[in-house]
Amino acid sequence: MLIGLDFDNTIVSYDSLFHKVALEQDVISHTIPVNKIAVRNHLRSINKEDKWTEMQGHVYGKRMNEAQAYAGAIEFIDRAKQLGHSLCIISHKTQYPFLGPQYDLHKAAIGWIDQHLVMNDKALFSKVDYFFELTKDDKVNRIASMGCDIYIDDLPEILLNPLFPADCTRVLFDPERHHATSIEGEIRVVNSWKQIEKELL
Ligand SMILES: [Mg+2]
């Protein structure tokens, strides 16, 4: 079975890092929850949308290496490989930030994969196993051309894209439980990597 994985906010959690950077830059107080959306909503509420945009470039670029994998993600990948499944990462991401210093965001993400997605000192993904596309449609086309049997993403709009391959099982990763347990178009909703491992492997 070929299992396709989204990258940002599916494998990688940015909650602690955005919170940390926002505290360093003195744009939030400690009362704001350790949560990316809470940081974003706060900055929007005080009319600092540009600050938020710039912070994204900083976090996804310069500070990328400090981001952490979601609990259980690396164990899931390792277990799936042990069971003989193949895995690939298919993401979409702009190459450079919209605002601020022009970090190469693809390079930062690949550096993170090489450094963090390892088990017993062995890389879990090689160069041929990850794809960073520039648009959502390119991403969905890649999921189709790779022939993924399962694809896991945190964004319903990817799984509901009209180009999404009909024979691929669609799984929504929803750790904060924004969605019901199943949503339109028979998308399966899961809340943790432990659950994905239990139900899909
Ligand atoms: Mg994502």
Side-chain angles (χ1 to χ4, degrees):
M1 188 159 79
L2 177 60
I3 305 169
L5 310 171
D6 172 49
F7 184 67
D8 294 313
N9 307 303
T10 296
I11 295 175
V12 194
S13 167
Y14 294 100
D15 288 329
S16 314
L17 186 51
F18 270 109
H19 192 262
K20 181 180 168 187
V21 167
L23 280 175
E24 284 171 11
Q25 298 186 356
D26 210 14
V27 288
I28 61 165
S29 69
H30 286 275
T31 56
I32 301 294
V34 183
N35 179 280
K36 176 186 159 181
I37 303 298
V39 172
R40 182 198 69 189
N41 289 349
H42 176 73
L43 292 178
R44 282 186 179 163
S45 76
I46 56 168
N47 286 322
K48 287 193 182 290
E49 182 80 36
D50 279 0
K51 183 82 203 157
W52 169 246
T53 305
E54 194 180 335
M55 195 182 289
Q56 288 179 82
H58 183 70
V59 164
Y60 300 141
K62 189 173 184 187
R63 306 290 292 272
M64 183 66 206
N65 210 30
E66 293 171 54
Q68 298 296 318
Y70 274 101
I74 295 172
E75 291 75 9
F76 167 84
I77 293 164
D78 183 54
R79 176 93 183 114
K81 287 177 80 118
Q82 279 180 28
L83 291 171
H85 300 302
S86 301
L87 293 102
C88 60
I89 294 171
I90 303 174
S91 166
H92 88 282
K93 221 176 183 13
T94 59
Q95 187 131 19
Y96 298 99
F98 291 111
L99 269 185
Q102 293 298 288
Y103 307 110
D104 184 332
L105 306 183
H106 288 200
K107 212 169 143 190
I110 291 165
W112 189 92
I113 290 173
D114 290 342
Q115 172 137 5
H116 291 262
L117 297 184
V118 291
M119 184 58 90
N120 302 324
D121 292 330
K122 261 193 79 183
L124 291 167
F125 292 92
S126 69
K127 269 189 183 53
V128 295
D129 302 322
Y130 48 74
F131 304 89
F132 289 92
E133 307 291 352
L134 293 171
T135 69
K136 288 177 186 171
D137 280 0
D138 285 349
K139 172 179 177 173
V140 173
N141 283 329
R142 178 72 70 180
I143 295 164
S145 69
M146 287 297 289
C148 293
D149 299 292
I150 296 176
Y151 186 78
I152 304 166
D153 201 299
D154 65 298
L155 290 180
E157 69 208 68
I158 297 295
L159 303 170
L160 292 168
N161 185 302
L163 301 169
F164 198 92
D167 54 356
C168 176
T169 300
R170 295 174 285 175
V171 179
L172 183 73
F173 179 64
D174 182 25
E176 293 174 38
R177 296 170 195 265
H178 293 300
H179 303 277
T181 50
S182 72
I183 52 178
E184 55 174 306
E186 291 172 24
I187 291 177
R188 206 160 159 167
V189 183
V190 292
N191 307 122
S192 70
W193 280 98
K194 272 267 160 282
Q195 186 189 357
I196 296 173
E197 184 170 339
K198 206 167 120 199
E199 294 182 7
L200 294 180
L201 293 185

